[in-house]
Amino acid sequence: MTALLTIIVLVFILVAIWQMVKIFDLAQAKNDNTPGVATDKDNTINGYLMMGFLAFIYIITIVCFVKWGDLPLMSNSASEHGPTIDNLMIISMVIIFIVQTITQFLLHYFAYKYKGEKGKKALFFADNNKLEAIWTIIPVIVLAGLIIYGLNTWINIMGVDESDDPLVVELYAQQFNWKARYGGNDNTLGKANVRLIDIDKANILGLDESDPNAQDDVITTELHLPVGKPVLFKMRSQDVLHSAYMPHFRAQMNCVPGMITQFGFTPTVTTADMRQTPEMQEKVARINKIRVENSKPLIAKGEEPLERYEFDYILLCNKICGKSHYNMQMKIVVETQEEYEAWMKEQKEFKNSLIN
C-alpha cells in the first residue's frame, strides 16, 4: 500500500511539473509569436480528464470504505455521553460525505459539459434569486440543526448535577506528566496554589497545608475511577497550556495556567470488560504480532524483546506543550466500586505524605 501511495504522489508531482511547464510556455507566448490559446482538442482532452478524475475520486472512496472502513466509525466509547458524541460525529460525516459527493460531481461534470468549443457561446444568468435562496437556505438549516444539536449535547455533558454526588478529582498538568488528586473522605479538594509548591516537603501540587479539607486529599500518578459513578474533574496547569484528553471517554478540556477548568462524565465500561471486547482483542493481537516481529532483530543482538501490549484507558495531553509532549500520559483504570475503595485504602493521605 505504501508503494502505491508513493507512486500516486510521484504521478501527481509529475502532473504538477507538466502543468507548470505549460503555464511557463503560455507566459512566453508573446515572445514566441504563438497563439497560446487552447484548441477544441485541448478542451476536449481536459474535459475527459475531469470526468476521469471524478471516477478516480469515487473509486478510491469506495475502496477505502470497503478495505479500511470501520462503520459505524466509532463504537468503543466508555462513558455515558460517549454514544451521543459518536452520533453527532457520524451525522456530521454523513452530511459532509453526501454534500461532497454531489458537489464534486457537479464541479467535474460541468467542467466537461461546458468545455470550450469553437463557435459555442456560454449562456449564463447574472443572478437568479430562486437558486441563490435555495443554496443559501438549505446550508443555513443544516448547519443550524448541527449547531443546535451540538450545543445541546455540550450543555448536557457540562451540566454536572451536584445532587448526584459526583466523585471530585483534580487533574494536575505539568511538563511532562500528570498527577491526580482525590478529595479524600469528605470528597472536597483542599485549596492549592502553585506558589505553595514545596519540593523539600514533597508538597508537589502546592496544597495549602493549613486547609482542613486538604489534609485527607490523595495524590496519585495513576487515575482510578469507579464504574457507573459520575466524576467531576477539576483541571489545573502548573506551567503552559495543556489539554486533558481521554479518547475512550470522549472527553477533552484545556488545562490553563492560572485558572481551574472542569469536565464531567460517568464511566460505563470497566478496563477488564473493555479488554474482553472482540474489537479490542483483535487490536491487541495485531499490535503484539507487530511487536513480536520487531523483537526478532533485538533478540538476535542479545537485547530484551519488546513488552507485550495490554490495553489500558489513557489520559493524554492533546496540546503540543514542549519537547516531551508525546510522553505526557497517565494510565486510567475503571473498576468496580469495591476495587476502587480497596485501591484508595492503599494510598497515602496528603498529611501523611509530607516530609517534616
Side-chain angles (χ1 to χ4, degrees), residues 74-327:
M74 295 162 291
S75 58
N76 59 0
S77 63
S79 64
E80 200 172 79
H81 72 261
T84 307
I85 293 289
D86 291 352
N87 288 338
L88 180 60
M89 179 67 74
I90 291 169
I91 290 171
S92 300
M93 295 190 73
V94 168
I95 292 174
I96 291 171
F97 178 76
I98 293 173
V99 172
Q100 186 265 355
T101 301
I102 295 173
T103 54
Q104 288 300 315
F105 171 78
L106 293 175
L107 173 67
H108 291 80
Y109 175 69
F110 285 168
Y112 166 76
K113 183 177 180 180
Y114 299 109
K115 60 185 177 291
E117 294 179 11
K118 189 175 181 180
K120 183 177 180 180
K121 200 170 183 180
L123 175 65
F124 67 93
F125 299 93
D127 62 82
N128 187 312
N129 293 336
K130 185 177 180 179
L131 283 175
E132 290 181 6
I134 291 173
W135 65 51
T136 300
I137 293 173
I138 292 177
V140 166
I141 294 174
V142 174
L143 290 175
L146 284 175
I147 292 170
I148 292 172
Y149 181 25
L151 186 60
N152 286 333
T153 301
W154 180 249
I155 291 172
N156 291 333
I157 294 171
M158 296 303 293
V160 179
D161 192 349
E162 299 286 349
S163 63
D164 292 337
D165 189 29
L167 174 68
V168 180
V169 181
E170 179 183 77
L171 295 179
Y172 186 84
Q174 63 180 147
Q175 294 174 312
F176 298 96
N177 64 75
W178 295 95
K179 296 290 190 300
R181 177 164 67 108
Y182 295 82
N185 294 326
D186 58 5
N187 197 33
T188 302
L189 295 171
K191 296 178 182 178
N193 192 303
V194 293
R195 294 181 177 84
L196 298 177
I197 292 176
D198 189 345
I199 301 300
D200 294 334
K201 297 185 66 177
N203 187 357
I204 56 177
L205 302 192
L207 273 64
D208 186 347
E209 298 176 29
S210 63
D211 184 4
N213 290 326
Q215 303 305 310
D216 63 347
D217 285 3
V218 174
I219 301 171
T220 66
T221 56
E222 194 171 89
L223 181 60
H224 284 240
L225 303 173
V227 68
K229 174 76 173 177
V231 184
L232 178 60
F233 292 98
K234 303 286 186 177
M235 304 176 186
R236 285 195 299 148
S237 172
Q238 177 174 308
D239 33 54
V240 299
L241 185 66
H242 299 278
S243 188
Y245 178 44
M246 294 168 272
H248 288 90
F249 304 106
R250 308 298 190 257
Q252 179 172 332
M253 178 60 66
N254 285 347
C255 305
V256 185
M259 67 181 294
I260 297 175
T261 55
Q262 70 176 40
F263 196 101
F265 65 80
T266 302
T268 56
V269 183
T270 65
T271 300
D273 288 342
M274 183 61 80
R275 287 174 178 172
Q276 297 304 314
T277 60
E279 176 188 358
M280 197 55 64
Q281 288 184 338
E282 180 183 348
K283 175 183 177 181
V284 170
R286 187 169 62 249
I287 293 174
N288 282 326
K289 183 178 179 180
I290 295 173
R291 291 195 173 191
V292 168
E293 291 300 318
N294 291 341
S295 293
K296 290 179 180 178
L298 298 177
I299 296 173
K301 296 177 183 177
E303 299 177 9
E304 290 291 325
L306 298 175
E307 294 182 3
R308 288 184 60 82
Y309 170 74
E310 185 176 44
F311 168 79
D312 279 306
Y313 294 122
I314 196 166
L315 166 64
L316 302 168
C317 176
N318 211 21
K319 284 282 188 294
I320 300 178
C321 56
K323 62 182 180 180
S324 293
H325 155 76
Y326 68 94
N327 200 38

Side-chain angles (χ1 to χ4, degrees), residues 8 12 50-62:
I8 292 173
F12 284 156
M50 291 294 281
M51 294 303 293
F53 188 67
L54 176 64
F56 169 77
I57 291 175
Y58 287 158
I59 290 171
I60 200 69
T61 300
I62 293 170

